[in-house]
Amino acid sequence: MFNTSQVRQDFPLLTRPDSARQIYFDNACMSLKPSLVIDAMTEYYRDYPACVGRSSHHLGQLASQKVQAVRAKVAKFINASSEEEIIFTRNTTESINLVARSLGIKATDRILVSDKEHNSNLVPWQLLCQQTGATLEVLPSRADNTFDLDHFAQVITGARLVAIGHTANLDGVTVPISEIIRLAHSAGAQVLVDGAQAMLHQRLDVRALDLDYLAFSGHKMLGPTGTGVLYGKASLLNSLEPFLVGGDTVESVTYTDHKFLPVPERFEAGLQDYAGLLGLGAAIDYLSALDFSAIREHEYQLNHYLTSEVQKLAKFRLIGPEDPRQRSGVLSFYFDGVDAHQIALMLDNMSGIMIRSGQHCVHSWFHAHKLTGSARVSLAFYNTMEEAEQFIKTLTKINQIF
Ligand SMILES: Cc1ncc(COP(=O)(O)O)c(C=O)c1O
């Protein structure tokens, strides 16, 4: 059993006097932050607000050591072979763009994405293919929105890259990532995994999965906004062209030429969000101490309850497979003929329940399915059964109004 009441003590928002009206079900958009993350950021600004990797005075050295320690923590957390495989970015979006812009894609290349990608794992590839003449192919999901591995096995031959979301923010469905990577590698293709929605719910082991690239954001895994990571196998990162260049990426420069630093620094242009990175390190400390199998079961219990109760409501339509075990902590739905934003506003006004509504940056899927949007509940380990019950009570009232 996961001890929710204990972890809730760690989150300032959940211990406020009005916490009963802070029912936060928007974790796929942004997770809450535990105190130790906020404290780590404050500590940087208070105790060693200096440049990293530039200044040799004692504050500069301390800040550099602290940031380097975060790189080591990230590497350990995802089981990378070395710290050099961890590039700090601002978010998942930037990590994906970095790969897209640095791979040296040619007109003859084929890139595969699923039909449920977040705009951040679709638009960079669309633009790149428009500019280079490469081909972008969209893999259709099965009727229940799960990944079609048989189709994938038929089309993977000859592809240069598969760029795939590990867990969809649309409906919480996780793709069979090990099989995808195995099939892709045996066909000679590389795999970039958009791990934005995975990191709060499970541990990813990049070596066990034999991942080529993994992109994720700090803010969806208890960390600060503006922090992200790109993991890449050292051999692959060494073959990429730098994407953003300038200060901190070069070893030496003349008026006519420059020599880049080795990876990862050559990809980290300009002064970084050091306070944010220290917060990310604290988030990883926090996540590292959690029991993810207990979390999975806890989120399943909540989603199972929500799913079985909402299906009693006449207008309810679910996005994704019926089985909540296949939808991580996500319940994405709409009411026939009702604006999803209206549902979200009413939940908030009536009970302080915060969900996301709209197309969740997966516009392509909604356009293809001729839907205007959905209301999306996305859970985290600190959510409780009492909150789920309050949601059902409130949604039942809303259903009666329409
Ligand atoms: C699956 C997925 N990929 C990418 C992103 C983009 O993340 P960011 O805005 O942090 O770059 C998100 C954000 O919602 C997401 O859910």
Side-chain angles (χ1 to χ4, degrees), residues 28-29 90-94 96 118 120-121 165 167-169 194 196-197 217 219-220 356 360-361 376:
C29 194
R90 284 180 305 151
N91 45 45
T92 305
T93 308
E94 186 180 312
I96 294 171
H118 189 281
S120 293
N121 194 31
T167 300
N169 66 320
D194 169 356
Q197 292 297 337
S217 299
H219 70 93
K220 294 187 196 291
R356 185 155 166 203
H360 322 294
C361 291
R376 183 187 69 187

Side-chain angles (χ1 to χ4, degrees), residues 26-44:
D26 193 17
N27 294 286
C29 194
M30 160 87 69
S31 72
L32 297 182
K33 319 299 170 199
S35 298
L36 91 170
V37 167
I38 301 162
D39 294 346
M41 295 177 72
T42 310
E43 186 183 294
Y44 169 79

Side-chain angles (χ1 to χ4, degrees), residues 102-136:
S102 311
L103 267 177
I105 290 289
K106 296 188 291 298
T108 47
D109 288 332
R110 280 170 68 226
I111 298 167
L112 307 186
V113 294
S114 85
D115 61 357
K116 290 164 52 179
E117 297 306 327
H118 189 281
N119 292 338
S120 293
N121 194 31
L122 178 61
V123 181
W125 305 113
Q126 286 179 338
L127 187 64
L128 187 69
C129 288
Q130 284 162 8
Q131 290 170 342
T132 59
T135 308
L136 184 65

